[in-house]
Amino acid sequence: MDQIDAPISEVGVGIIANAPAPEIEGFKYRVDDIFGKVDKLEQRVNKIEQFYSTKSKKQLSTSKASSIVKDKDKEKHIPSIKRQQQDASRREAAAAKRMQELLRQFGTILRQIMQHKWAWPFIKPVDVEGLKLHDYYEVIDKPMDFSTVKNQMEAKDGTGYKNVREICADVRLIFKNAMKYNNDDRSDVPVMAKTLLEKFEEKWLLLLPKVTEEEAHAQWDMQLAQDAAYAKMARDLNNELYELDVHLEDL
């Protein structure tokens, strides 16, 4: 049978079989390259599918967050990349402003406790050497005091507190350390620490609703950022698949 009358598939195989070795190797290289790209794309597809398959569960965990977000925000579709960047910048600015306000209010609470007449033993780090407290570091794992808390609140080098709950934990630690180390002491330190801790907890409860609301905002912002990231990944994946289709047609 003449080559002109042969089926297209047989003609293609014949052309490849009779092609010079360099051309065959080049063809194999292109095919192997496409197979490698397809494998990587399949992995990315699996990742996206896994994300969207678990999204419903994440939405349940963020129900509190969604309740404080306006309905018009929840109904928005995934915007363009430029719009996503603009929205992300606005959310970051709003979050920074809310956090600054929380820190201001917490700072007010801290000053009120520090100005109490019984706060003086807790203002600065314990003078372990001066007081000859040889076993202090054996009993206390993490020393804490008001000046250390204040310095971390004002830190600008990224070593400060990440959220208000971290500050709250350290303030509690100040008094718990005092009660733990002086638990069998006849001094007034344990009583002073317990009294100030109770006063702090009262004031903290008044601020707690705002802290919880801010955490919900942060969780919702994180969800939006994740959704946008996977939407971009899906779009990029679609573009790569289109390019592979073009290569396959050429081959």
PDB file of all heavy atoms in Angstrom, residues 179-203:
ATOM      1  N   MET A 179       2.826  33.650  93.305  1.00  0.00           N
ATOM      2  CA  MET A 179       2.110  32.745  94.210  1.00  0.00           C
ATOM      3  C   MET A 179       2.786  31.378  94.282  1.00  0.00           C
ATOM      4  O   MET A 179       2.812  30.740  95.341  1.00  0.00           O
ATOM      5  CB  MET A 179       0.649  32.606  93.751  1.00  0.00           C
ATOM      6  CG  MET A 179      -0.175  33.872  93.966  1.00  0.00           C
ATOM      7  SD  MET A 179      -1.940  33.667  93.563  1.00  0.00           S
ATOM      8  CE  MET A 179      -1.876  33.589  91.776  1.00  0.00           C
ATOM      9  N   LYS A 180       3.356  30.945  93.175  1.00  0.00           N
ATOM     10  CA  LYS A 180       4.012  29.640  93.151  1.00  0.00           C
ATOM     11  C   LYS A 180       5.293  29.634  93.972  1.00  0.00           C
ATOM     12  O   LYS A 180       5.530  28.723  94.776  1.00  0.00           O
ATOM     13  CB  LYS A 180       4.321  29.243  91.711  1.00  0.00           C
ATOM     14  CG  LYS A 180       4.977  27.881  91.558  1.00  0.00           C
ATOM     15  CD  LYS A 180       5.222  27.559  90.094  1.00  0.00           C
ATOM     16  CE  LYS A 180       5.866  26.185  89.926  1.00  0.00           C
ATOM     17  NZ  LYS A 180       6.103  25.862  88.493  1.00  0.00           N
ATOM     18  N   TYR A 181       6.130  30.665  93.801  1.00  0.00           N
ATOM     19  CA  TYR A 181       7.411  30.676  94.499  1.00  0.00           C
ATOM     20  C   TYR A 181       7.240  30.987  95.990  1.00  0.00           C
ATOM     21  O   TYR A 181       8.014  30.502  96.817  1.00  0.00           O
ATOM     22  CB  TYR A 181       8.350  31.704  93.861  1.00  0.00           C
ATOM     23  CG  TYR A 181       9.740  31.646  94.440  1.00  0.00           C
ATOM     24  CD1 TYR A 181      10.625  30.633  94.066  1.00  0.00           C
ATOM     25  CD2 TYR A 181      10.177  32.587  95.373  1.00  0.00           C
ATOM     26  CE1 TYR A 181      11.896  30.559  94.610  1.00  0.00           C
ATOM     27  CE2 TYR A 181      11.441  32.521  95.918  1.00  0.00           C
ATOM     28  CZ  TYR A 181      12.302  31.500  95.534  1.00  0.00           C
ATOM     29  OH  TYR A 181      13.568  31.421  96.086  1.00  0.00           O
ATOM     30  N   ASN A 182       6.249  31.781  96.317  1.00  0.00           N
ATOM     31  CA  ASN A 182       6.044  32.195  97.713  1.00  0.00           C
ATOM     32  C   ASN A 182       4.881  31.457  98.362  1.00  0.00           C
ATOM     33  O   ASN A 182       4.257  31.974  99.289  1.00  0.00           O
ATOM     34  CB  ASN A 182       5.791  33.709  97.770  1.00  0.00           C
ATOM     35  CG  ASN A 182       6.941  34.518  97.203  1.00  0.00           C
ATOM     36  OD1 ASN A 182       7.948  34.741  97.851  1.00  0.00           O
ATOM     37  ND2 ASN A 182       6.780  34.976  95.959  1.00  0.00           N
ATOM     38  N   ASN A 183       4.596  30.242  97.899  1.00  0.00           N
ATOM     39  CA  ASN A 183       3.418  29.532  98.401  1.00  0.00           C
ATOM     40  C   ASN A 183       3.521  29.159  99.879  1.00  0.00           C
ATOM     41  O   ASN A 183       2.511  28.994 100.557  1.00  0.00           O
ATOM     42  CB  ASN A 183       3.146  28.279  97.566  1.00  0.00           C
ATOM     43  CG  ASN A 183       4.305  27.299  97.626  1.00  0.00           C
ATOM     44  OD1 ASN A 183       5.386  27.617  98.103  1.00  0.00           O
ATOM     45  ND2 ASN A 183       4.063  26.103  97.133  1.00  0.00           N
ATOM     46  N   ASP A 184       4.756  29.006 100.376  1.00  0.00           N
ATOM     47  CA  ASP A 184       4.898  28.683 101.799  1.00  0.00           C
ATOM     48  C   ASP A 184       5.549  29.825 102.563  1.00  0.00           C
ATOM     49  O   ASP A 184       6.079  29.640 103.663  1.00  0.00           O
ATOM     50  CB  ASP A 184       5.726  27.403 101.973  1.00  0.00           C
ATOM     51  CG  ASP A 184       7.099  27.526 101.322  1.00  0.00           C
ATOM     52  OD1 ASP A 184       7.323  28.532 100.611  1.00  0.00           O
ATOM     53  OD2 ASP A 184       7.936  26.641 101.538  1.00  0.00           O
ATOM     54  N   ASP A 185       5.520  31.006 101.964  1.00  0.00           N
ATOM     55  CA  ASP A 185       6.155  32.166 102.584  1.00  0.00           C
ATOM     56  C   ASP A 185       5.147  32.908 103.455  1.00  0.00           C
ATOM     57  O   ASP A 185       3.945  32.919 103.174  1.00  0.00           O
ATOM     58  CB  ASP A 185       6.697  33.099 101.493  1.00  0.00           C
ATOM     59  CG  ASP A 185       7.609  34.160 102.064  1.00  0.00           C
ATOM     60  OD1 ASP A 185       8.585  33.793 102.754  1.00  0.00           O
ATOM     61  OD2 ASP A 185       7.344  35.335 101.827  1.00  0.00           O
ATOM     62  N   ARG A 186       5.653  33.543 104.502  1.00  0.00           N
ATOM     63  CA  ARG A 186       4.777  34.291 105.404  1.00  0.00           C
ATOM     64  C   ARG A 186       4.639  35.751 104.989  1.00  0.00           C
ATOM     65  O   ARG A 186       3.959  36.523 105.662  1.00  0.00           O
ATOM     66  CB  ARG A 186       5.320  34.219 106.831  1.00  0.00           C
ATOM     67  CG  ARG A 186       5.303  32.805 107.421  1.00  0.00           C
ATOM     68  CD  ARG A 186       5.778  32.812 108.857  1.00  0.00           C
ATOM     69  NE  ARG A 186       5.736  31.459 109.432  1.00  0.00           N
ATOM     70  CZ  ARG A 186       6.090  31.180 110.688  1.00  0.00           C
ATOM     71  NH1 ARG A 186       6.524  32.145 111.497  1.00  0.00           N
ATOM     72  NH2 ARG A 186       6.020  29.937 111.125  1.00  0.00           N
ATOM     73  N   SER A 187       5.265  36.125 103.872  1.00  0.00           N
ATOM     74  CA  SER A 187       5.163  37.505 103.400  1.00  0.00           C
ATOM     75  C   SER A 187       3.792  37.756 102.797  1.00  0.00           C
ATOM     76  O   SER A 187       2.977  36.847 102.630  1.00  0.00           O
ATOM     77  CB  SER A 187       6.254  37.794 102.368  1.00  0.00           C
ATOM     78  OG  SER A 187       5.994  37.086 101.172  1.00  0.00           O
ATOM     79  N   ASP A 188       3.561  38.988 102.446  1.00  0.00           N
ATOM     80  CA  ASP A 188       2.268  39.383 101.877  1.00  0.00           C
ATOM     81  C   ASP A 188       2.234  39.223 100.351  1.00  0.00           C
ATOM     82  O   ASP A 188       1.206  39.496  99.735  1.00  0.00           O
ATOM     83  CB  ASP A 188       1.970  40.838 102.224  1.00  0.00           C
ATOM     84  CG  ASP A 188       1.786  41.050 103.725  1.00  0.00           C
ATOM     85  OD1 ASP A 188       1.295  40.112 104.385  1.00  0.00           O
ATOM     86  OD2 ASP A 188       2.126  42.144 104.219  1.00  0.00           O
ATOM     87  N   VAL A 189       3.350  38.792  99.750  1.00  0.00           N
ATOM     88  CA  VAL A 189       3.435  38.711  98.289  1.00  0.00           C
ATOM     89  C   VAL A 189       2.343  37.830  97.683  1.00  0.00           C
ATOM     90  O   VAL A 189       1.692  38.230  96.711  1.00  0.00           O
ATOM     91  CB  VAL A 189       4.834  38.240  97.855  1.00  0.00           C
ATOM     92  CG1 VAL A 189       4.854  37.981  96.344  1.00  0.00           C
ATOM     93  CG2 VAL A 189       5.878  39.282  98.206  1.00  0.00           C
ATOM     94  N   PRO A 190       2.103  36.608  98.210  1.00  0.00           N
ATOM     95  CA  PRO A 190       1.047  35.784  97.605  1.00  0.00           C
ATOM     96  C   PRO A 190      -0.331  36.442  97.666  1.00  0.00           C
ATOM     97  O   PRO A 190      -1.099  36.364  96.698  1.00  0.00           O
ATOM     98  CB  PRO A 190       1.082  34.493  98.435  1.00  0.00           C
ATOM     99  CG  PRO A 190       2.447  34.452  99.010  1.00  0.00           C
ATOM    100  CD  PRO A 190       2.808  35.878  99.279  1.00  0.00           C
ATOM    101  N   VAL A 191      -0.629  37.091  98.766  1.00  0.00           N
ATOM    102  CA  VAL A 191      -1.928  37.762  98.902  1.00  0.00           C
ATOM    103  C   VAL A 191      -2.025  38.928  97.929  1.00  0.00           C
ATOM    104  O   VAL A 191      -3.065  39.146  97.284  1.00  0.00           O
ATOM    105  CB  VAL A 191      -2.133  38.259 100.354  1.00  0.00           C
ATOM    106  CG1 VAL A 191      -3.443  39.033 100.471  1.00  0.00           C
ATOM    107  CG2 VAL A 191      -2.113  37.097 101.327  1.00  0.00           C
ATOM    108  N   MET A 192      -0.943  39.686  97.808  1.00  0.00           N
ATOM    109  CA  MET A 192      -0.910  40.816  96.887  1.00  0.00           C
ATOM    110  C   MET A 192      -1.100  40.337  95.443  1.00  0.00           C
ATOM    111  O   MET A 192      -1.861  40.927  94.663  1.00  0.00           O
ATOM    112  CB  MET A 192       0.416  41.567  97.028  1.00  0.00           C
ATOM    113  CG  MET A 192       0.619  42.181  98.414  1.00  0.00           C
ATOM    114  SD  MET A 192       2.342  42.638  98.739  1.00  0.00           S
ATOM    115  CE  MET A 192       2.531  44.051  97.677  1.00  0.00           C
ATOM    116  N   ALA A 193      -0.402  39.254  95.103  1.00  0.00           N
ATOM    117  CA  ALA A 193      -0.494  38.707  93.748  1.00  0.00           C
ATOM    118  C   ALA A 193      -1.900  38.206  93.452  1.00  0.00           C
ATOM    119  O   ALA A 193      -2.454  38.466  92.370  1.00  0.00           O
ATOM    120  CB  ALA A 193       0.512  37.576  93.584  1.00  0.00           C
ATOM    121  N   LYS A 194      -2.501  37.499  94.388  1.00  0.00           N
ATOM    122  CA  LYS A 194      -3.850  36.965  94.186  1.00  0.00           C
ATOM    123  C   LYS A 194      -4.866  38.090  94.025  1.00  0.00           C
ATOM    124  O   LYS A 194      -5.753  38.031  93.160  1.00  0.00           O
ATOM    125  CB  LYS A 194      -4.236  36.070  95.355  1.00  0.00           C
ATOM    126  CG  LYS A 194      -5.599  35.424  95.195  1.00  0.00           C
ATOM    127  CD  LYS A 194      -5.933  34.533  96.383  1.00  0.00           C
ATOM    128  CE  LYS A 194      -7.308  33.907  96.212  1.00  0.00           C
ATOM    129  NZ  LYS A 194      -7.679  33.048  97.370  1.00  0.00           N
ATOM    130  N   THR A 195      -4.728  39.123  94.839  1.00  0.00           N
ATOM    131  CA  THR A 195      -5.665  40.258  94.777  1.00  0.00           C
ATOM    132  C   THR A 195      -5.565  40.975  93.436  1.00  0.00           C
ATOM    133  O   THR A 195      -6.581  41.270  92.796  1.00  0.00           O
ATOM    134  CB  THR A 195      -5.371  41.245  95.916  1.00  0.00           C
ATOM    135  OG1 THR A 195      -5.505  40.575  97.172  1.00  0.00           O
ATOM    136  CG2 THR A 195      -6.347  42.418  95.877  1.00  0.00           C
ATOM    137  N   LEU A 196      -4.339  41.241  92.991  1.00  0.00           N
ATOM    138  CA  LEU A 196      -4.152  41.932  91.710  1.00  0.00           C
ATOM    139  C   LEU A 196      -4.584  41.065  90.534  1.00  0.00           C
ATOM    140  O   LEU A 196      -5.111  41.578  89.542  1.00  0.00           O
ATOM    141  CB  LEU A 196      -2.696  42.347  91.550  1.00  0.00           C
ATOM    142  CG  LEU A 196      -2.207  43.473  92.471  1.00  0.00           C
ATOM    143  CD1 LEU A 196      -0.749  43.785  92.208  1.00  0.00           C
ATOM    144  CD2 LEU A 196      -3.057  44.719  92.285  1.00  0.00           C
ATOM    145  N   LEU A 197      -4.386  39.755  90.650  1.00  0.00           N
ATOM    146  CA  LEU A 197      -4.825  38.856  89.580  1.00  0.00           C
ATOM    147  C   LEU A 197      -6.345  38.897  89.443  1.00  0.00           C
ATOM    148  O   LEU A 197      -6.875  38.920  88.328  1.00  0.00           O
ATOM    149  CB  LEU A 197      -4.362  37.426  89.866  1.00  0.00           C
ATOM    150  CG  LEU A 197      -4.798  36.360  88.851  1.00  0.00           C
ATOM    151  CD1 LEU A 197      -4.280  36.699  87.454  1.00  0.00           C
ATOM    152  CD2 LEU A 197      -4.312  34.982  89.275  1.00  0.00           C
ATOM    153  N   GLU A 198      -7.051  38.911  90.564  1.00  0.00           N
ATOM    154  CA  GLU A 198      -8.512  38.981  90.526  1.00  0.00           C
ATOM    155  C   GLU A 198      -8.985  40.287  89.901  1.00  0.00           C
ATOM    156  O   GLU A 198      -9.936  40.307  89.110  1.00  0.00           O
ATOM    157  CB  GLU A 198      -9.069  38.833  91.938  1.00  0.00           C
ATOM    158  CG  GLU A 198      -8.893  37.429  92.513  1.00  0.00           C
ATOM    159  CD  GLU A 198      -9.316  37.337  93.968  1.00  0.00           C
ATOM    160  OE1 GLU A 198      -9.604  38.408  94.563  1.00  0.00           O
ATOM    161  OE2 GLU A 198      -9.359  36.213  94.504  1.00  0.00           O
ATOM    162  N   LYS A 199      -8.316  41.384  90.240  1.00  0.00           N
ATOM    163  CA  LYS A 199      -8.681  42.674  89.657  1.00  0.00           C
ATOM    164  C   LYS A 199      -8.416  42.686  88.154  1.00  0.00           C
ATOM    165  O   LYS A 199      -9.214  43.232  87.374  1.00  0.00           O
ATOM    166  CB  LYS A 199      -7.898  43.802  90.342  1.00  0.00           C
ATOM    167  CG  LYS A 199      -8.320  44.065  91.787  1.00  0.00           C
ATOM    168  CD  LYS A 199      -7.565  45.235  92.372  1.00  0.00           C
ATOM    169  CE  LYS A 199      -8.057  45.542  93.784  1.00  0.00           C
ATOM    170  NZ  LYS A 199      -9.481  45.957  93.817  1.00  0.00           N
ATOM    171  N   PHE A 200      -7.303  42.075  87.771  1.00  0.00           N
ATOM    172  CA  PHE A 200      -6.987  42.009  86.339  1.00  0.00           C
ATOM    173  C   PHE A 200      -8.029  41.184  85.591  1.00  0.00           C
ATOM    174  O   PHE A 200      -8.473  41.569  84.503  1.00  0.00           O
ATOM    175  CB  PHE A 200      -5.597  41.406  86.135  1.00  0.00           C
ATOM    176  CG  PHE A 200      -5.294  41.096  84.698  1.00  0.00           C
ATOM    177  CD1 PHE A 200      -5.004  42.107  83.794  1.00  0.00           C
ATOM    178  CD2 PHE A 200      -5.324  39.784  84.231  1.00  0.00           C
ATOM    179  CE1 PHE A 200      -4.734  41.825  82.462  1.00  0.00           C
ATOM    180  CE2 PHE A 200      -5.049  39.487  82.907  1.00  0.00           C
ATOM    181  CZ  PHE A 200      -4.758  40.513  82.012  1.00  0.00           C
ATOM    182  N   GLU A 201      -8.421  40.043  86.148  1.00  0.00           N
ATOM    183  CA  GLU A 201      -9.400  39.174  85.488  1.00  0.00           C
ATOM    184  C   GLU A 201     -10.733  39.888  85.307  1.00  0.00           C
ATOM    185  O   GLU A 201     -11.420  39.714  84.287  1.00  0.00           O
ATOM    186  CB  GLU A 201      -9.599  37.887  86.286  1.00  0.00           C
ATOM    187  CG  GLU A 201      -8.374  36.979  86.343  1.00  0.00           C
ATOM    188  CD  GLU A 201      -8.004  36.384  84.996  1.00  0.00           C
ATOM    189  OE1 GLU A 201      -8.736  36.580  84.009  1.00  0.00           O
ATOM    190  OE2 GLU A 201      -6.961  35.708  84.923  1.00  0.00           O
ATOM    191  N   GLU A 202     -11.110  40.711  86.264  1.00  0.00           N
ATOM    192  CA  GLU A 202     -12.361  41.470  86.151  1.00  0.00           C
ATOM    193  C   GLU A 202     -12.311  42.425  84.964  1.00  0.00           C
ATOM    194  O   GLU A 202     -13.267  42.536  84.188  1.00  0.00           O
ATOM    195  CB  GLU A 202     -12.612  42.249  87.440  1.00  0.00           C
ATOM    196  CG  GLU A 202     -12.971  41.381  88.638  1.00  0.00           C
ATOM    197  CD  GLU A 202     -13.108  42.190  89.909  1.00  0.00           C
ATOM    198  OE1 GLU A 202     -12.929  43.445  89.844  1.00  0.00           O
ATOM    199  OE2 GLU A 202     -13.359  41.594  90.975  1.00  0.00           O
ATOM    200  N   LYS A 203     -11.190  43.105  84.831  1.00  0.00           N
ATOM    201  CA  LYS A 203     -11.045  44.065  83.732  1.00  0.00           C
ATOM    202  C   LYS A 203     -10.893  43.340  82.385  1.00  0.00           C
ATOM    203  O   LYS A 203     -11.380  43.813  81.360  1.00  0.00           O
ATOM    204  CB  LYS A 203      -9.837  44.970  83.993  1.00  0.00           C
ATOM    205  CG  LYS A 203      -9.986  45.837  85.238  1.00  0.00           C
ATOM    206  CD  LYS A 203      -8.761  46.688  85.476  1.00  0.00           C
ATOM    207  CE  LYS A 203      -8.897  47.510  86.744  1.00  0.00           C
ATOM    208  NZ  LYS A 203     -10.040  48.463  86.674  1.00  0.00           N
TER     209      LYS A 203
END
